[in-house]
């Protein structure tokens, strides 16, 4: 009898233990999947790192689109002066960065968000994919987008297919954001807009306008349709500096500051010197620091800034380290993680060009042009904008390199257009004003400046002094510019069928002189 009672007690005791087994055996210091879901951490944690990869590093960015747009230049004669900056390709890494660090995690997080019904997170990831891939295509042309994630020899999208896919995806993304204006799920993961879905919708519309303008020469009908859709959407556009899209707070240092101040590998460009000083542009003191050696600026001592010609012939790095650095404020720990992807000034300049092209809803070209300049001066805290906009005489300067033999690296300015708007000017002359000011305002976001220079021919920048291109990557004729970056070696070796098909879609050899789809040449109107 005692044995029977003992077994009953033991059975009850065991049942009691197993009833609470999960609770008793759960590590109190371990974060459970359910607790992660409550705060959206199981999906949201992906986004800061994806956004932080939009801008590349020195190799991905500073020695490609930054130098090709002539915003900054290097004092360093890397590899004996024969490198990307002189049109011989040594580095080509942006593709790998974006596919490994944006497209791959985006695919994963979209699957998680879809499974849990988090549609706003799904479309946020899809928007980040467009941000990334719309930049990668500016390098290579055809890229992998609609077929991403497939196995085997993955086919690239032609640029025509790609841009139509971007526009189609933006339809869905903007609709989702517009239908969820009060959604708060993004708050803990969004250092750009603090989770404000309305601001993401405004950015998505502005991105649509940007992409529409890219294709305005090659497919005017598509461009007009998509541009007018952006201009008319109730969510609006980014028309205030309070709406600017910055990559900020993601732990990624503003990389040109690191390259400039820690490594000494970047300085002001000669084109910046020529244009900013010639136009008496007070933004120069917000962008760059003056030189300490006044002998470098004997031709304009009242504006003590000196830049390096892109593709300059150089002997030693030390020769030009005394040229103008970035403004020291860029190295401020409170600012070094902040960098703009798009700002209100660019949107105004897009609207100004849209007005020239007759797009409904664009408004007046002059008003948008002047609003863009004002927004840029406001953003950088520069004074004198009224006098600047009224200047009908000042022109960019000719350039002399004080560290080179006479004539070496020098150039004669080709810009004959002043800042002040002239309603009697031709459309081409008006477009030159718009794109030149857009180039100045896009400082720190040089990708679009490089695109605009290829698309429109503006600003009228000097060619690189030393053209080292050859048959290895394609020869750039004297007087012309580099038009694209080659397909990357990882794809050439790992997906040769895809690269071969992409080269057919490129409609030209896989070389640096082949024009992209939207880079049609000729008149802009």
């Amino acid at each position: 009898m005692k044995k029977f009672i003992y077994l009953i007690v033991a059975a009850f005791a065991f049942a009691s233990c197993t009833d609470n087994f999960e609770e008793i055996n759960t590590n109190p210091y371990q974060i459970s999947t359910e607790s992660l879901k409550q705060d959206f951490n199981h999906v949201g944690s992906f986004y800061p790192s994806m956004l932080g990869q939009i801008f590349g590093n020195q190799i991905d960015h500073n020695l490609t689109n930054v130098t090709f747009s002539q915003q900054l230049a290097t004092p360093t004669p890397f590899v004996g002066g024969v490198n990307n900056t002189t049109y011989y390709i040594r580095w080509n890494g942006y593709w790998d960065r974006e596919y490994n660090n944006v497209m791959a995690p985006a695919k994963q997080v979209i699957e998680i968000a879809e499974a849990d019904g988090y549609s706003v997170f799904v479309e946020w990831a899809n928007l980040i994919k467009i941000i990334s891939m719309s930049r990668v295509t500016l390098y290579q042309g055809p890229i992998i987008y609609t077929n991403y994630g497939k196995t085997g020899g993955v086919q690239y999208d032609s640029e025509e297919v790609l841009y139509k896919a971007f526009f189609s995806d933006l339809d869905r993304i903007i609709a989702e954001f517009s239908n969820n204006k009060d959604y708060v799920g993004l708050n803990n993961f969004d250092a750009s807009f603090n989770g404000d879905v309305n601001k993401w919708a405004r950015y998505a519309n502005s991105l649509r306008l940007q992409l529409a303008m890219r294709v305005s020469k090659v497919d005017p009908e598509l461009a007009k349709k998509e541009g007018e859709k952006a201009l008319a959407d109730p969510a609006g556009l980014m028309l205030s500096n309070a709406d600017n899209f910055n990559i900020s707070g993601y732990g990624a240092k503003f990389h040109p500051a690191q390259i400039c101040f820690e490594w000494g590998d970047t300085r002001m460009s000669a084109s910046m010197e020529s244009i900013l000083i010639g136009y008496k542009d007070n933004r120069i003191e917000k962008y760059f620091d003056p030189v300490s050696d006044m002998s470098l600026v004997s031709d304009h001592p009242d504006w003590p800034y000196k830049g390096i010609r892109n593709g300059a012939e150089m002997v030693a790095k030390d020769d030009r380290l005394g040229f103008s650095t970035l403004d020291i404020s860029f190295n401020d720990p409170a600012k070094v993680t902040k960098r703009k992807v798009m700002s209100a000034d660019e949107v105004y300049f897009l609207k100004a060009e849209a007005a020239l092209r007759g797009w409904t809803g664009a408004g007046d070209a002059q008003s948008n042009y002047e609003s863009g300049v004002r927004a840029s001066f406001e953003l950088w805290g520069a004074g004198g904008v009224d006098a600047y906009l009224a200047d009908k005489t000042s022109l960019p300067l000719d350039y002399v390199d004080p560290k080179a033999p006479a004539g070496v690296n020098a150039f004669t300015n080709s810009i004959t257009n002043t800042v002040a708007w002239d309603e009697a000017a031709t459309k081409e002359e008006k477009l030159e004003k718009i794109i030149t000011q857009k180039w100045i305002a896009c400082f720190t976001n040089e990708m679009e400046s490089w695109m605009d220079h290829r698309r429109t021919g503006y600003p009228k920048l000097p060619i690189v002094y030393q053209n080292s291109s050859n048959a290895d990557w394609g020869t750039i004729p004297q007087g012309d510019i580099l038009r694209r970056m080659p397909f990357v070696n990882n794809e050439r070796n790992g997906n040769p069928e895809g690269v071969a098909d992409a080269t057919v879609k490129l409609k030209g050899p896989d070389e640096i002189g082949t024009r992209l789809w939207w880079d049609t040449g000729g008149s802009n109107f």
Side-chain angles (χ1 to χ4, degrees):
M1 185 66 178
K2 289 182 179 179
K3 183 177 181 181
F4 178 71
I5 293 171
Y6 173 78
L7 289 173
I8 292 174
V9 171
F12 274 109
F14 180 76
S16 176
C17 287
T18 55
D19 284 346
N20 298 302
F21 181 82
E22 184 176 348
E23 179 181 344
I24 292 170
N25 289 278
T26 298
N27 184 343
Y29 303 106
Q30 181 177 337
I31 300 174
S32 69
T33 301
E34 290 306 313
S35 65
L36 284 174
K37 286 186 176 182
Q38 290 174 7
D39 295 324
F40 303 102
N41 283 299
H42 71 304
V43 288
S45 57
F46 286 78
Y47 291 82
S49 60
M50 288 192 295
L51 285 165
Q53 295 295 331
I54 296 300
F55 287 103
N57 58 20
Q58 180 179 21
I59 289 175
D60 304 334
H61 192 70
N62 204 243
L63 292 171
T64 51
N65 69 82
V66 176
T67 190
F68 300 151
S69 69
Q70 300 193 24
Q71 300 274 359
L72 298 173
T74 181
T76 310
F78 295 107
V79 200
V82 179
N83 56 62
N84 286 28
T85 69
T86 59
Y87 292 174
Y88 187 88
I89 306 305
R90 300 285 186 185
W91 312 286
N92 188 13
Y94 192 57
W95 172 291
D96 292 334
R97 170 182 288 272
E98 296 306 290
Y99 279 97
N100 292 337
N101 298 293
V102 178
M103 289 296 280
K107 180 178 183 294
Q108 184 179 357
V109 75
I110 287 170
E111 291 171 354
I112 296 171
E114 285 179 335
D116 289 335
Y118 297 152
S119 56
V120 177
F121 274 97
V122 170
E123 300 306 349
W124 192 23
N126 279 320
L127 178 59
I128 294 170
K129 285 169 55 180
I130 296 175
I131 298 168
S132 173
M133 293 297 103
S134 68
R135 297 167 72 85
V136 173
T137 186
L138 293 183
Y139 281 74
Q140 272 87 23
I143 60 171
I144 299 170
Y145 182 73
T146 62
N147 292 321
Y148 180 77
K150 295 182 180 179
T151 58
V154 181
Q155 297 292 293
Y156 289 46
D157 292 311
S158 70
E159 292 172 89
E160 182 175 9
V161 168
L162 177 68
Y163 278 89
K164 289 178 179 177
F166 287 159
F167 292 134
S168 176
D169 288 348
L170 283 169
D171 286 340
R172 190 188 62 251
I173 292 165
I174 293 168
E176 183 67 29
F177 289 167
S178 297
N179 291 332
N180 292 274
K181 295 178 181 179
D182 298 323
Y183 189 72
V184 297
L186 313 185
N187 291 13
N188 293 334
F189 315 103
D190 174 18
S192 296
F193 291 134
N194 297 315
D196 190 332
V197 177
N198 300 284
K199 289 191 174 184
W200 280 108
R202 284 195 285 275
Y203 167 67
N205 271 326
S206 302
L207 176 61
R208 184 196 294 278
L209 183 60
Q210 181 189 75
L211 298 178
M213 196 58 70
R214 282 190 196 172
V215 303
S216 57
K217 289 173 64 176
V218 69
D219 194 338
E221 184 177 339
L222 174 66
K224 186 173 189 292
K225 172 189 169 186
E226 295 297 331
E228 290 180 347
K229 189 183 295 186
L231 291 162
D233 191 87
L237 297 165
M238 296 165 46
L239 296 174
S240 164
N241 283 321
D243 289 336
N244 292 353
F245 176 24
N246 298 309
I247 296 293
S248 58
Y250 301 118
K253 187 172 183 178
F254 177 77
H255 79 83
Q258 182 180 43
I259 297 165
C260 179
F261 297 110
E262 296 180 23
W263 306 342
D265 282 336
T266 199
R267 291 291 184 269
M268 179 187 196
S269 72
S271 295
M272 274 286 187
E273 175 190 339
S274 168
I275 293 173
L276 293 180
I277 295 177
Y279 280 154
K280 301 179 177 63
D281 193 320
N282 289 329
R283 284 172 290 185
I284 194 170
E285 66 182 32
K286 306 298 180 179
Y287 292 2
F288 302 105
D289 271 353
V291 297
S292 56
D293 180 358
M294 293 299 291
S295 70
L296 298 175
V297 292
S298 57
D299 51 340
H300 45 71
D302 292 339
W303 294 79
Y305 300 87
K306 177 55 61 176
I308 300 170
R309 182 169 181 177
N310 294 91
E313 181 181 297
M314 295 181 287
V315 177
K317 177 176 179 176
D318 287 349
D319 290 344
R320 293 170 183 81
L321 286 179
F323 286 29
S324 289
T325 64
L326 295 172
D327 184 79
I328 193 63
S329 65
F330 285 108
N331 212 32
D332 184 338
K335 299 178 182 178
V336 293
T337 59
K338 182 176 180 180
R339 187 167 190 187
K340 67 176 179 176
V341 178
M342 184 183 283
S343 47
D345 45 29
E346 181 182 346
V347 180
Y348 279 115
F349 293 128
L350 288 167
K351 289 185 66 182
E353 183 174 351
L356 287 184
R357 297 188 180 280
W359 294 1
T360 300
D364 176 69
Q366 178 178 354
S367 176
N368 283 311
Y369 168 78
E370 292 178 350
S371 293
V373 174
R374 290 184 185 280
S376 180
F377 270 67
E378 176 189 77
L379 175 62
W380 294 98
V385 68
D386 290 337
Y388 183 80
L389 284 169
D391 190 341
K392 298 179 180 180
T393 58
S394 297
L395 291 172
L397 306 177
D398 298 339
Y399 173 79
V400 175
D401 185 344
K403 292 294 184 177
V408 174
N409 299 331
F411 65 79
T412 300
N413 165 58
S414 298
I415 298 173
T416 57
N417 220 330
T418 62
V419 173
W421 188 261
D422 179 4
E423 191 56 36
T426 66
K427 284 187 177 181
E428 281 288 348
E429 290 168 335
K430 290 175 181 176
L431 183 62
E432 182 183 358
K433 285 183 188 288
I434 292 167
I435 299 300
T436 301
Q437 286 299 320
K438 188 179 176 186
W439 180 86
I440 298 170
C442 276
F443 182 61
T444 74
N445 183 29
E446 302 84 0
M447 188 78 76
E448 289 305 305
S449 297
W450 181 36
M451 181 278 299
D452 278 333
H453 186 47
R454 290 177 285 169
R455 176 177 69 92
T456 68
Y458 304 130
K460 294 177 181 176
L461 301 172
I463 61 171
V464 297
Y465 185 80
Q466 179 180 327
N467 182 343
S468 302
S469 64
N470 63 27
D472 289 352
W473 300 107
T475 301
I476 302 297
Q478 290 298 321
D480 201 357
I481 61 172
L482 182 146
R483 298 285 170 179
R484 65 180 289 272
M485 293 289 281
F487 295 122
V488 298
N489 286 334
N490 282 347
E491 282 291 297
R492 290 178 175 212
N493 298 328
N495 185 16
E497 298 88 354
V499 171
D501 179 67
T503 304
V504 173
K505 291 169 178 172
L506 185 63
K507 298 181 180 178
D510 180 19
E511 296 179 353
I512 61 176
T514 299
R515 290 177 180 267
L516 300 188
W517 178 56
W518 42 263
D519 178 10
T520 61
S523 170
N524 286 292
F525 297 95

